[in-house]
């Protein structure tokens, strides 16, 4: 029966009615806070035009303090990125058992054994001297290409070194083919059969990673990441990546960025049934911060709307630079 019998506004008339029928809620425990941890001697991050406190580089003890705040706020996890003092062609800092991520994970687990879960980003881009996510191979007069198969072994070593340090979840973000299977095989053969893999499956070559690359010091020295990250025009390909990662043993799947990719959050959830994480990336954080600083919108209202919408689209877990703020606003 249509109007006037049906009146959609009936259930919107009071806060009580709206609360009674609200479909989607947000919980602090589904939020993940990224942490950037810099080794002593790492070159400083470039000065950006905006104040982006959640992208500030931390020392190891600073990261422990931030994770303690995350625990107090009830966040589910922190996601650790390392900024090394030295880079090389093989990104050896990524899989060094005394490297910045391994040291940070050990410090976090020791200081906060019951604290938020520790997820590590598994990639080479912060550690290679050229800033790409894999090893480069010269191909004559052309710019070098990123060698997929040579990279897999290094990624697998990286994941094992993180697991050995105590990481609860490893999250490959490199977009090489076959990395989930390579990580699973190496983790299993080293005895880490119970370490879950959160695969950045649908990761797009995006303009929204700019502030992250300054924070992490991972801007590519030549070319761009379009030979390995997805074309934003391709939804079917993204879904295929997700399905392949399931076949290789991924435990959770990520869609990244989040705001312009709600169709894929919904599709990945529907097609795979796996837990889905959405990464509300640095450029999305910067947009909200810039608009709020200019007085164009209310940061709290905007952030809670964004996070609720990602959950409504199908995200079980949300990585967001606003995680601490959101947890306080929800409390
Ligand atoms: C590393 C990585 C990136 C991000 C997460 N892991 C950058 C990139 O692929 O260039 C971006 C996160 C953000 O923008 O918040 N491969």
């Amino acid at each position: 029966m249509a109007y006037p019998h049906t009146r959609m506004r009936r259930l919107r008339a009071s806060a009580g009615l709206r609360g009674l029928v609200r479909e989607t809620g947000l919980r602090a425990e589904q939020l993940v806070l990224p942490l950037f941890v810099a080794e002593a001697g790492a070159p400083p991050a470039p000065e950006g035009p905006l104040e982006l406190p959640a992208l500030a580089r931390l020392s190891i003890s600073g990261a422990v303090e931030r994770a303690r705040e995350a625990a107090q706020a009830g966040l589910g996890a922190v996601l650790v990125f390392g900024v090394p003092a030295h880079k090389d062609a093989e990104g050896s800092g990524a899989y060094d058992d005394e490297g910045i991520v391994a040291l940070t994970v050990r410090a976090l687990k020791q200081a906060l054994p019951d604290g938020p879960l520790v997820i590590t980003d598994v990639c080479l881009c912060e550690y290679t001297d050229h800033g790409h996510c894999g090893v480069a191979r010269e191909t004559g007069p052309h710019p070098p290409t990123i060698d997929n198969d040579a990279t897999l072994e290094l990624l697998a070593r990286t994941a094992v070194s993180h697991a050995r340090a105590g990481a609860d979840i490893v999250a490959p973000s490199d977009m090489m083919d076959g990395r989930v299977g390579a990580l699973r095989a190496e983790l299993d053969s080293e005895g880490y059969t119970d370490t879950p893999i959160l695969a950045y499956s649908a990761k797009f070559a995006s303009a929204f990673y700019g502030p992250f690359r300054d924070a992490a010091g991972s801007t590519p020295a030549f070319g761009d990441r379009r030979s390995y990250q997805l074309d934003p025009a391709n939804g079917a390909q993204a879904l295929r990546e997700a399905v392949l990662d399931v076949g290789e043993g991924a435990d959770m799947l990520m869609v990244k960025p989040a705001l312009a990719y709600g169709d894929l959050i919904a599709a990945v959830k529907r097609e795979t049934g796996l837990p889905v994480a959405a990464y509300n990336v640095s450029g999305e954080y910067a947009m909200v911060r810039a608009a709020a600083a200019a007085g164009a919108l209310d940061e709290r209202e905007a952030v809670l709307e964004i996070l609720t919408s990602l959950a409504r689209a199908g995200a079980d877990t949300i990585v967001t630079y606003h995680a601490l703020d959101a947890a306080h606003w929800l409390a």
Side-chain angles (χ1 to χ4, degrees):
M1 272 192 297
Y3 172 86
H5 306 286
T6 298
R7 289 180 181 266
M8 296 302 284
R9 291 180 54 189
R10 269 186 212 120
L11 295 181
R12 294 176 201 152
S14 69
L17 282 163
R18 291 191 294 273
L20 190 69
V21 301
R22 184 162 296 126
E23 298 169 27
T24 309
L26 271 182
R27 294 165 290 117
E29 66 181 355
Q30 74 188 139
L31 304 179
V32 179
L33 177 70
L35 299 177
F36 297 90
V37 192
E39 202 170 6
E47 194 84 30
L50 295 169
E51 207 203 311
L52 302 173
L55 285 160
R57 290 183 185 175
L58 305 166
S59 62
I60 293 179
S61 59
V64 170
E65 281 325 297
R66 194 58 62 80
R68 201 186 301 279
E69 285 174 48
Q72 278 155 5
L75 298 183
V78 294
L79 171 58
V80 177
F81 294 94
V83 186
H86 304 287
K87 302 178 186 238
D88 58 32
E90 271 78 44
S92 62
Y95 39 89
D96 181 353
D97 282 330
E98 300 302 316
I100 184 65
V101 170
L103 292 176
T104 301
V105 172
R106 272 188 239 132
L108 288 170
K109 295 315 282 186
Q110 194 178 1
L112 305 164
D114 305 316
L117 294 169
V118 175
I119 309 175
T120 57
D121 185 85
V122 174
C123 194
L124 301 187
C125 65
E126 294 99 337
Y127 307 91
T128 50
D129 47 19
H130 47 66
H132 277 286
C133 301
V135 289
R137 184 162 42 87
E138 296 292 340
T139 51
H142 311 289
T145 57
I146 302 309
D147 187 334
N148 191 89
D149 297 9
T151 301
L152 295 182
E153 189 205 327
L154 304 183
L155 293 168
R157 277 162 71 174
T158 303
V160 167
S161 93
H162 294 176
R164 194 181 289 130
D168 296 294
I169 300 175
V170 292
S173 69
D174 51 283
M175 289 303 280
M176 297 300 121
D177 288 321
R179 80 270 169 74
V180 172
L183 261 63
R184 186 73 273 156
E186 193 67 14
L187 286 166
D188 287 359
S189 82
E190 294 292 322
Y192 300 103
T193 52
D194 292 336
T195 303
I197 296 175
L198 162 57
Y200 286 69
S201 301
K203 176 172 178 180
F204 289 85
S206 171
F208 292 97
Y209 304 152
F212 171 96
R213 289 181 188 168
D214 286 346
S218 67
T219 307
F222 60 85
D224 53 42
R225 303 207 201 289
R226 284 183 290 184
S227 78
Y228 41 101
Q229 297 181 348
L230 283 157
D231 182 334
N234 292 347
Q237 239 184 51
L239 208 46
R240 207 166 154 218
E241 288 275 7
V243 169
L244 286 167
D245 284 353
V246 175
E248 291 180 27
D251 300 282
M252 302 172 66
L253 305 171
M254 176 114 76
V255 175
K256 176 185 172 195
L259 285 188
Y261 298 85
D263 56 332
L264 288 163
I265 296 171
V268 168
K269 184 71 200 173
R270 191 174 56 237
E271 297 296 323
T272 69
L274 264 66
V276 172
Y279 198 141
N280 185 206
V281 299
S282 60
E284 299 172 330
Y285 170 65
M287 284 199 296
V288 173
R289 292 283 303 175
L297 52 73
D298 181 85
E299 188 169 10
R300 178 183 194 273
E301 297 285 314
V303 168
L304 292 177
E305 179 177 332
I306 285 170
L307 299 179
T308 300
S309 298
L310 298 177
R312 188 199 65 234
D316 303 290
T317 304
I318 304 170
V319 183
T320 170
Y321 298 94
H322 274 113
L324 278 173
D325 308 284
H328 291 129
W329 292 328
L330 291 170

